[in-house]
Amino acid sequence: MNFNAYLKRINHQGQLAPTAETLRALQVAHLRTVPFENLSIHNSEPIVLDDDALFTKIIERRRGGFCYECNGLFAALLRALGFDVTMLSAEVANATGGFSEPFDHMALMVKLEQRWLADVGFGDSFLEPLLLDAEKEQVQGNHAYRVVSDGEYRVLSRREAGQWTPQYRFTLQPYGYEDYAEMCTYHQTSPQSHFTQNRICSRATEAGGRISLSDLRLIITSADGERTERTLRNESEYADVLREEFAIELGR
């Protein structure tokens, strides 16, 4: 792991000691520079769950990825810096009140003096790592999160309009890349996967908001939740926005 190249990619120039403050700074830097995106799926680029392949894509080619890619490589960086990291299987909440299949999402547990939930691959979610065992409200800007126990699971929720809305649930069982392979293939190939149905590219902004491309829709959300949206004229303008806002040039 050439972690110096990784740190340059995410514009991190701070401390590297394996502490909670370093973890926080690394996650924030990652979310602001490495997009959550599924463009490989729509450009016939196979996604390989391997540290070297992901390093080539995300660091050398300056791309992003979806959860298995972003969190997988982030775990490798953290380990290279001396952190104790565990890959977790998460099940994403759905509109019917249930959850998806195991391994639908990869999250990370980082053990320091306290245990932390880290995640750089879930799109619009918590910016800073969350205490895993606190079971209390954790406020980040205009959002609040909590992680509570539910039998064998921990459930991550975000407070929205005064109500707690589940985002995903997970166990603390450790896993490796091979355990996510089947679901990774599903999300690349199945017509039922939301990743095959439309293109997405999204990152957090320095100002505390978010900028996203959903097919030809450009969506900008401010830190206080104000949202603006416009439809791009064509694929040429789409490529321009990818390059200017996400530093992505497809085919490179």
Side-chain angles (χ1 to χ4, degrees):
M1 164 69 71
N2 181 354
F3 64 77
N4 286 321
Y6 201 138
L7 297 173
K8 183 178 180 180
R9 167 75 173 93
I10 63 174
N11 298 328
H12 177 79
Q13 300 176 346
Q15 63 178 335
L16 300 179
T19 65
E21 179 57 28
T22 301
L23 176 63
R24 186 204 69 80
L26 290 170
Q27 175 162 313
V28 171
H30 202 291
L31 288 168
R32 287 175 174 168
T33 54
V34 178
F36 177 81
E37 52 108 330
N38 67 345
L39 304 180
S40 290
I41 295 171
H42 297 270
N43 285 275
S44 300
E45 299 172 3
I47 293 170
V48 180
L49 298 186
D50 166 87
D51 286 347
D52 290 339
L54 295 178
F55 187 90
T56 296
K57 177 181 178 180
I58 294 175
I59 307 306
E60 295 180 352
R61 294 176 55 209
R62 301 188 65 82
R63 287 284 304 278
F66 62 179
C67 67
Y68 313 117
E69 301 173 278
C70 290
N71 278 324
L73 193 62
F74 190 51
L77 171 67
L78 294 175
R79 291 191 186 105
L81 295 175
F83 288 88
D84 182 345
V85 186
T86 301
M87 294 179 177
L88 305 176
S89 167
E91 305 165 18
V92 180
N94 57 43
T96 63
F99 293 87
S100 63
E101 297 296 316
F103 304 107
D104 193 36
H105 177 61
M106 177 195 291
L108 303 174
M109 176 172 64
V110 181
K111 296 179 183 177
L112 295 164
E113 292 183 0
Q114 301 180 86
R115 298 192 296 186
W116 296 86
L117 178 67
D119 199 330
V120 295
F122 196 62
D124 185 12
S125 188
F126 57 96
L127 184 66
E128 302 177 7
L130 297 171
L131 285 168
L132 188 57
D133 300 304
E135 299 219 3
K136 64 180 181 181
E137 178 178 280
Q138 300 181 57
V139 178
Q140 297 186 5
N142 291 325
H143 298 291
Y145 300 88
R146 69 181 183 187
V147 180
V148 299
S149 298
D150 182 15
E152 65 178 312
Y153 292 99
R154 306 292 177 94
V155 180
L156 165 68
S157 298
R158 180 164 70 180
R159 191 178 64 207
E160 299 176 350
Q163 296 185 337
W164 289 102
T165 301
Q167 293 195 305
Y168 58 75
R169 68 180 184 180
F170 57 95
T171 70
L172 303 185
Q173 174 74 28
Y175 294 103
Y177 280 132
E178 64 278 5
D179 298 302
Y180 303 87
E182 183 176 351
M183 285 301 292
C184 185
T185 297
Y186 167 84
H187 282 306
Q188 294 178 74
T189 60
S190 173
Q192 280 71 51
S193 169
H194 58 279
F195 288 114
T196 64
Q197 295 173 18
N198 70 295
R199 296 172 295 180
I200 183 68
C201 188
S202 179
R203 66 170 178 84
T205 64
E206 292 282 346
R210 192 160 200 90
I211 183 167
S212 303
L213 270 176
S214 180
D215 280 331
L216 291 180
R217 290 185 299 130
L218 175 62
I219 305 163
I220 299 176
T221 307
S222 68
D224 60 7
E226 183 178 352
R227 175 183 170 118
T228 61
E229 180 177 329
R230 71 180 177 92
T231 301
L232 305 183
R233 293 168 296 182
N234 49 43
E235 290 297 322
S236 177
E237 187 177 8
Y238 180 88
D240 289 343
V241 173
L242 275 184
R243 182 176 59 255
E244 295 165 5
E245 299 292 350
F246 301 97
I248 289 178
E249 294 189 49
L250 294 177
R252 186 173 71 177

